[in-house]
Amino acid sequence: MIKTQNKIFYICGKNYTYAMYVNDMGFLQHAYYGKKINHNDLLLYINEVCKKLEPLKEDLNLDFSLDSMPSEFGCFFNHGDYHEPSVIIEQLDGATMCRYRYFSHEVKDEVIDIAELPHARGCGQTLSITLKDDFSDMEIVLNYTVFDDCDVIVRNAEIKNVGHTAIVIKKAFSFCLDLPKAEYKLLRLHGRWAGERIPEITPIGHAVTKLQSIRGQSSHQMNPFAAILKDDCGEDVGECYGAQLIYSGNFAITAEIDYNDRLRIQGGINECHFEWELDPQVNFVTPQVALCYSATGIGQLSREYADFIRGHIVNSQYVYKKRPIVVNNWEATYFDFDNERLFSIIDEAAKLGIDTFVLDDGWFGKRNSDATSLGDWFVNNEKLNGGLKALTDRCKNNGLNFGIWFEPEAISEYSDLYRVHPDWAIGKEGVEPARWRNQLVLDFTRKDVVDYIFNAVSKILKDNEISYVKWDFNRNISEFYSRRLTNQGGFAHRYILGVYYLAEKLTKEFPDVFFEGCAGGGGRFDTGMLYYFPQIWTSDNTDAIERMKIQWGTSMCYPLSSMSCHVSACPNHQTGRVTPIELRGTIASLGATGYELDLTKLSDLEKLSVKQQIANYKKIDELILKGDLFRLSDPFYGDFCEMIVSKDKRKAYFVYATRNERSKNVIRLKGLDASKLYTVNDNMTFSGHALMCVGLPLPVMDKNMCLSLTICEKISKSTDGARYEF
Ligand code: GLA
């Protein structure tokens, strides 16, 4: 709900209030972000502040500094706001001075539809406040969208050139938030290839702390998410604020404690490799950020983000649809396969209850290693006798669907495409490019290049019975240079716009194909990609012990259903670790589950276990898609324990995995209804109150063992006629 009165703006969500006001001098000031507070109480408070503590209109040309005022958008270049600026706009003569003051506002009962960028959708209400520069023909519109069903505010900024001369945008963040003095800590998700989204919490000092990627993608190394934890905020207690960019390219989020001990957090497109020429009468729209507030710890923040992503980001056609249980041949065969080898996996998959076979890298051009053929999206008939049809037929005869891998943004120098169009690769003639994984990157700033790839991928999807696509991208960008662009400062953002353009076009053209995102594992695991692809391959690391940590970290701000999780071979190919198949299956059940190994090499006992895992998964997949996650024990410090509870609190799925020998534990559950009676695995009955206060006693367990339990509300025969069926 949004209320505006005398240039005081009051935004009220499910459990929070956000407020701003225009002061006497015309500057938009931040007033409050936190627990829900009554509109009249806040009005009274703001009026008092405005009247007694703030400079007045007459002071505008006198002695005052914006530095000490809590701003909604930071502009460095006039009246001395010396924080990191949110925006830098340069006039033709190089002048950057500006003074943005309130001009107008409007409220609409809808979300903002940004054609070229992923954005929040569904029902919402939007407040747009226009600020105008005193010295130029520039306007900045700050948008705030609020939803009834989650504690998220979506913000972004639009920069409008309403004049007659071009200007240059040198920095364009999406949001800026000033918070009052307190003890703040910063939670970020850092990582590396095969070790993504590791949570790290540190105090914030008196300097600018910058989380960023300049790799052309949101990156394995730093996720475009930050949480500000106040005082002693923990998993279930205390206040915290999240900022999650709905963007997949170069980003920055900065946190800065100033000399008044106040905190400014802001973020958006990274200014490194960024410079945007804005012609007269043209707007520049910045990516959206999803801000979230929780008064009850990080756990609640995660659940609000999960609800927001499911309710307002992921394509509603797929968000709650049962996910295909796949077998992917990558770790089973790598590049070394032919029809017979794949047929045997398909036949076995059908026997075990798997429903989709995904053919990974190596099916096209002359690709028998990573050195060739990216860009040549036609079937290697020498390798696959009978083409894809032989495989799709085999799947069909076994009752399986068929999925396929592409890497649309990449090009190999050893490819027909490169021989004809060497200039389609990014980089400058005469400058040696980096050849990570033996590949170059296609110039996705060019529409003709993207359209070519669209046609090539479309042909494969049209000519074959394909229900699933895995879209990969296996390297970082190092040459931010297109041979076509005159201003290379636009490259990085235009590149990601090209990716979004193709993702939009393909998903629209093939609405019945299910798309999974991937970038060398989880190198582009962000809300921008989730707008197009309902799930993302979480990491190339499939080791169950490492996956506990990666999935735990990812769950800080993404729903379980967005994580693609597979059971792989033993010993694990990334770590060499030996773990029981039960542990691998249980950890992989905490997401969109699947298999990534040669099923034909499993023993009979292991096959039985896989069958059982699939049958069990089918009983809990609704919870994975729709439930609330509660994190119980952190695998970075000890055993791993999570549970997922249905919204109506009638069912839950509990997973415990040990990291220590002879583990014996009683673990307090969370998220249940204290007043309900629950049965645990159908043989013990406890009250929700006891399970949450006293805890669930667990058996003695050895290292790498796991326990997965179903918890259901027990309904007495007298009241309901029957027990609740899981
Ligand atoms: C990336 C992906 C893997 C696999 C390979 C194929 O590393 O993350 O799952 O698809 O590419 O080359």
Side-chain angles (χ1 to χ4, degrees), residues 54 171 195 200 241 268 292 357 362 364 416 469 476 504 513 571 575 579 655 672 679:
E54 289 247 326
K171 179 173 183 179
E200 182 179 55
Y241 302 86
C292 185
F357 168 75
F364 51 90
D416 291 353
V469 164
N476 291 160
E504 172 82 10
V513 173
T575 62
T579 52
V655 166
L672 299 174
T679 58

Side-chain angles (χ1 to χ4, degrees), residues 323-364:
R323 300 297 163 79
I325 298 176
V326 308
V327 59
N328 175 304
N329 74 307
W330 178 241
E331 288 195 19
T333 65
Y334 296 101
F335 295 104
D336 181 18
F337 56 80
D338 56 19
N339 284 13
E340 291 311 318
R341 188 127 190 241
L342 299 179
F343 286 168
S344 62
I345 295 176
I346 293 168
D347 296 348
E348 196 59 55
K351 287 185 214 150
L352 298 178
I354 287 169
D355 41 52
T356 302
F357 168 75
V358 178
L359 177 58
D360 210 280
D361 196 354
W363 58 267
F364 51 90

Side-chain angles (χ1 to χ4, degrees), residues 409 411 423-427 441-450 481-485 491 495:
E409 299 153 73
I411 180 166
D423 59 320
W424 282 16
I426 64 170
V441 177
L442 277 171
D443 187 351
F444 263 40
T445 70
R446 287 177 57 167
K447 188 168 177 305
D448 56 341
V449 173
V450 180
Y481 190 92
S482 158
R483 298 184 203 194
R484 278 281 179 88
L485 285 179
F491 177 89
Y495 178 87

Side-chain angles (χ1 to χ4, degrees), residues 330 360-361 405 437 470 472 474 518 520-521 537 540:
W330 178 241
D360 210 280
D361 196 354
W405 180 96
R437 214 189 186 220
K470 176 175 171 189
D472 207 343
N474 270 313
C518 177
W537 179 229
D540 272 351

Side-chain angles (χ1 to χ4, degrees), residues 452-497:
Y452 171 86
I453 294 296
F454 170 78
N455 289 331
V457 173
S458 295
K459 182 157 174 33
I460 295 288
L461 297 184
K462 272 187 193 139
D463 291 352
N464 299 281
E465 288 186 61
I466 293 175
S467 67
Y468 187 105
V469 164
K470 176 175 171 189
W471 173 323
D472 207 343
F473 182 39
N474 270 313
R475 61 162 289 177
N476 291 160
I477 293 179
S478 47
E479 293 77 33
F480 289 88
Y481 190 92
S482 158
R483 298 184 203 194
R484 278 281 179 88
L485 285 179
T486 47
N487 178 357
Q488 302 298 336
F491 177 89
H493 185 56
R494 286 185 201 280
Y495 178 87
I496 208 72
L497 291 180

Side-chain angles (χ1 to χ4, degrees), residues 299-332:
Q300 185 57 23
L301 191 85
S302 306
R303 289 186 286 280
E304 293 297 333
Y305 270 130
D307 283 346
F308 166 70
I309 290 171
R310 292 182 293 205
H312 298 281
I313 293 291
V314 177
N315 180 348
S316 57
Q317 181 186 341
Y318 287 108
V319 66
Y320 296 129
K321 198 169 165 185
K322 299 218 175 212
R323 300 297 163 79
I325 298 176
V326 308
V327 59
N328 175 304
N329 74 307
W330 178 241
E331 288 195 19

